[in-house]
Amino acid sequence: MMYIQKLVILILISLALLASGCEGIMNAKQSSEFLQEPSTEFYILGPDGTAKNYPTNYVLGENGTVIVGIINHEQKPVNYTMEVKLEDTLLPLPSDWQNICIENNETLKKAVTINPPFEGTNMDLQFLLYNNDKKEMLEDNISLPYRNLNLRINVTTQNLSKNTSTPITAV
Protein backbone atom coordinates (compact mmCIF):
# COMPACT_ATOMS: atom_id res chain seq x y z
CA MET A 1 0.00 0.00 0.00
CA MET A 2 2.81 2.39 0.92
CA TYR A 3 4.50 1.55 -2.36
CA ILE A 4 1.42 2.59 -4.38
CA GLN A 5 1.15 5.91 -2.49
CA LYS A 6 4.80 6.71 -3.24
CA LEU A 7 4.30 5.79 -6.89
CA VAL A 8 1.22 8.02 -7.17
CA ILE A 9 3.06 10.92 -5.52
CA LEU A 10 6.00 10.42 -7.87
CA ILE A 11 3.70 10.40 -10.90
CA LEU A 12 1.92 13.56 -9.68
CA ILE A 13 5.23 15.36 -9.14
CA SER A 14 6.44 14.28 -12.59
CA LEU A 15 3.24 15.53 -14.20
CA ALA A 16 3.50 18.85 -12.35
CA LEU A 17 7.11 19.29 -13.53
CA LEU A 18 6.17 18.36 -17.08
CA ALA A 19 3.26 20.81 -17.09
CA SER A 20 5.41 23.64 -15.74
CA GLY A 21 8.06 22.88 -18.38
CA CYS A 22 5.45 23.04 -21.15
CA GLU A 23 4.18 26.33 -19.76
CA GLY A 24 7.73 27.69 -19.78
CA ILE A 25 8.18 26.67 -23.40
CA MET A 26 4.87 28.29 -24.38
CA ASN A 27 5.80 31.50 -22.53
CA ALA A 28 9.23 31.56 -24.19
CA LYS A 29 7.64 31.14 -27.63
CA GLN A 30 5.15 33.95 -26.96
CA SER A 31 7.96 36.15 -25.63
CA SER A 32 10.14 35.57 -28.70
CA GLU A 33 7.23 36.50 -30.98
CA PHE A 34 6.64 39.62 -28.92
CA LEU A 35 10.35 40.53 -29.00
CA GLN A 36 10.55 40.43 -32.81
CA GLU A 37 11.31 43.82 -34.28
CA PRO A 38 8.18 45.23 -35.96
CA SER A 39 8.79 45.52 -39.70
CA THR A 40 7.21 45.58 -43.14
CA GLU A 41 8.37 43.61 -46.16
CA PHE A 42 8.04 45.53 -49.44
CA TYR A 43 9.02 43.99 -52.77
CA ILE A 44 8.29 43.97 -56.48
CA LEU A 45 8.22 41.03 -58.86
CA GLY A 46 8.21 40.82 -62.62
CA PRO A 47 4.90 40.18 -64.38
CA ASP A 48 5.52 36.41 -64.20
CA GLY A 49 5.61 36.58 -60.37
CA THR A 50 9.36 36.06 -60.01
CA ALA A 51 12.15 38.36 -58.88
CA LYS A 52 13.37 38.78 -62.46
CA ASN A 53 12.15 39.88 -65.87
CA TYR A 54 11.14 43.32 -64.63
CA PRO A 55 9.90 45.53 -67.46
CA THR A 56 12.81 47.92 -67.95
CA ASN A 57 12.58 48.91 -71.61
CA TYR A 58 9.43 50.80 -72.55
CA VAL A 59 8.13 52.40 -75.70
CA LEU A 60 6.49 55.77 -75.04
CA GLY A 61 2.73 55.27 -74.85
CA GLU A 62 2.98 51.58 -73.91
CA ASN A 63 2.88 50.15 -70.41
CA GLY A 64 4.43 47.42 -68.31
CA THR A 65 3.30 45.51 -65.25
CA VAL A 66 5.04 44.68 -61.99
CA ILE A 67 3.63 42.87 -59.00
CA VAL A 68 3.93 44.76 -55.73
CA GLY A 69 4.00 42.86 -52.45
CA ILE A 70 3.60 44.19 -48.91
CA ILE A 71 3.79 41.96 -45.82
CA ASN A 72 2.88 43.46 -42.45
CA HIS A 73 4.96 42.21 -39.49
CA GLU A 74 4.26 45.33 -37.40
CA GLN A 75 2.35 43.34 -34.72
CA LYS A 76 -0.80 45.37 -35.42
CA PRO A 77 -2.95 46.41 -38.39
CA VAL A 78 -1.27 49.18 -40.40
CA ASN A 79 -2.49 51.75 -42.92
CA TYR A 80 -0.04 52.22 -45.80
CA THR A 81 0.07 54.52 -48.83
CA MET A 82 2.13 53.84 -51.95
CA GLU A 83 3.44 56.21 -54.60
CA VAL A 84 5.29 55.52 -57.84
CA LYS A 85 7.61 58.19 -59.21
CA LEU A 86 9.65 58.36 -62.40
CA GLU A 87 12.54 60.82 -62.03
CA ASP A 88 10.60 62.56 -59.21
CA THR A 89 7.42 62.82 -61.33
CA LEU A 90 4.44 61.22 -59.60
CA LEU A 91 2.76 58.57 -61.77
CA PRO A 92 -0.98 57.91 -61.50
CA LEU A 93 -2.05 54.88 -59.46
CA PRO A 94 -5.48 53.41 -58.80
CA SER A 95 -7.20 54.87 -55.73
CA ASP A 96 -6.95 51.59 -53.81
CA TRP A 97 -3.23 52.31 -53.29
CA GLN A 98 -4.06 55.55 -51.45
CA ASN A 99 -5.23 53.77 -48.30
CA ILE A 100 -4.02 50.20 -47.89
CA CYS A 101 -4.96 48.53 -44.60
CA ILE A 102 -3.14 45.27 -43.90
CA GLU A 103 -3.63 43.15 -40.79
CA ASN A 104 -0.64 41.82 -38.84
CA ASN A 105 1.13 38.94 -40.66
CA GLU A 106 -1.03 39.43 -43.76
CA THR A 107 0.20 39.93 -47.32
CA LEU A 108 -1.04 42.14 -50.12
CA LYS A 109 0.27 41.18 -53.55
CA LYS A 110 -1.17 42.62 -56.76
CA ALA A 111 -0.25 43.95 -60.17
CA VAL A 112 0.55 47.62 -60.83
CA THR A 113 0.63 48.99 -64.38
CA ILE A 114 3.38 51.47 -65.19
CA ASN A 115 2.91 53.86 -68.12
CA PRO A 116 5.95 56.19 -68.38
CA PRO A 117 4.91 59.67 -69.64
CA PHE A 118 8.28 60.75 -71.10
CA GLU A 119 11.45 59.45 -72.77
CA GLY A 120 14.81 58.89 -71.12
CA THR A 121 17.57 56.39 -70.42
CA ASN A 122 18.63 54.87 -67.13
CA MET A 123 15.77 56.67 -65.33
CA ASP A 124 14.91 56.01 -61.70
CA LEU A 125 11.48 54.42 -61.21
CA GLN A 126 10.73 54.58 -57.48
CA PHE A 127 8.15 52.62 -55.50
CA LEU A 128 7.60 54.49 -52.23
CA LEU A 129 5.69 52.93 -49.33
CA TYR A 130 4.52 55.08 -46.43
CA ASN A 131 3.43 53.71 -43.06
CA ASN A 132 0.73 56.22 -42.11
CA ASP A 133 1.27 55.45 -38.41
CA LYS A 134 5.04 56.15 -38.55
CA LYS A 135 5.37 59.17 -40.84
CA GLU A 136 8.76 60.80 -40.63
CA MET A 137 8.68 64.41 -41.79
CA LEU A 138 11.45 66.61 -43.07
CA GLU A 139 11.25 70.36 -43.17
CA ASP A 140 8.85 71.81 -45.77
CA ASN A 141 6.35 69.02 -44.89
CA ILE A 142 8.14 66.41 -46.99
CA SER A 143 7.53 62.92 -45.63
CA LEU A 144 10.14 60.19 -45.85
CA PRO A 145 9.01 56.83 -47.23
CA TYR A 146 8.96 53.91 -44.80
CA ARG A 147 10.23 51.56 -47.56
CA ASN A 148 11.66 52.42 -50.98
CA LEU A 149 12.39 50.28 -54.05
CA ASN A 150 14.09 51.52 -57.23
CA LEU A 151 14.13 50.11 -60.74
CA ARG A 152 16.16 51.59 -63.63
CA ILE A 153 14.19 51.91 -66.87
CA ASN A 154 14.60 53.21 -70.42
CA VAL A 155 11.78 54.82 -72.40
CA THR A 156 12.13 55.37 -76.16
CA THR A 157 9.82 56.34 -79.01
CA GLN A 158 10.55 53.11 -80.86
CA ASN A 159 10.88 49.50 -79.81
CA LEU A 160 14.66 48.82 -79.74
CA SER A 161 14.51 45.50 -77.89
CA LYS A 162 12.28 43.30 -75.79
CA ASN A 163 11.97 44.09 -72.06
CA THR A 164 15.02 42.87 -70.21
CA SER A 165 15.61 42.37 -66.55
CA THR A 166 17.78 44.61 -64.42
CA PRO A 167 18.44 44.28 -60.72
CA ILE A 168 16.17 46.04 -58.30
CA THR A 169 17.68 48.06 -55.51
CA ALA A 170 16.16 48.51 -52.09
CA VAL A 171 16.84 51.58 -50.01
Side-chain angles (χ1 to χ4, degrees), residues 2 20 23 25-26 28 32-33 38 42 45 47 61 63 73 100 102 113 115 119 127 138 160:
M2 189 71 128
S20 67
E23 181 181 349
I25 291 170
M26 293 298 289
S32 71
E33 287 175 6
F42 182 47
L45 303 172
N63 59 41
H73 297 293
I100 308 159
I102 304 176
T113 301
N115 192 350
E119 291 180 73
F127 297 81
L138 294 175
L160 300 176

Side-chain angles (χ1 to χ4, degrees), residues 105-119:
N105 290 325
E106 285 193 352
T107 301
L108 170 71
K109 185 164 65 167
K110 64 182 186 176
V112 173
T113 301
I114 305 299
N115 192 350
F118 49 85
E119 291 180 73

Side-chain angles (χ1 to χ4, degrees), residues 75-132:
Q75 302 173 356
K76 64 179 183 176
V78 175
N79 289 309
Y80 299 97
T81 301
M82 188 179 78
E83 292 179 346
V84 176
K85 291 183 177 181
L86 178 59
E87 294 293 312
D88 292 323
T89 299
L90 195 60
L91 300 182
L93 283 176
S95 60
D96 56 352
W97 286 104
Q98 299 309 308
N99 190 18
I100 308 159
C101 185
I102 304 176
E103 296 294 321
N104 186 45
N105 290 325
E106 285 193 352
T107 301
L108 170 71
K109 185 164 65 167
K110 64 182 186 176
V112 173
T113 301
I114 305 299
N115 192 350
F118 49 85
E119 291 180 73
T121 57
N122 200 28
M123 294 189 295
D124 190 20
L125 180 64
Q126 296 180 301
F127 297 81
L128 307 169
L129 184 69
Y130 298 90
N131 178 331
N132 296 341

Side-chain angles (χ1 to χ4, degrees), residues 51 140 142 148:
D140 300 328
I142 298 172
N148 182 356

Side-chain angles (χ1 to χ4, degrees), residues 81 130-137 143-144:
T81 301
Y130 298 90
N131 178 331
N132 296 341
D133 300 334
K134 294 183 179 179
K135 281 213 172 174
E136 286 187 53
M137 302 295 280
S143 59
L144 292 173

Side-chain angles (χ1 to χ4, degrees), residues 57-64 86 113-119 154-159:
N57 290 312
Y58 291 81
V59 174
L60 194 61
E62 295 181 0
N63 59 41
L86 178 59
T113 301
I114 305 299
N115 192 350
F118 49 85
E119 291 180 73
N154 301 306
V155 181
T156 61
T157 55
Q158 54 187 330
N159 195 358

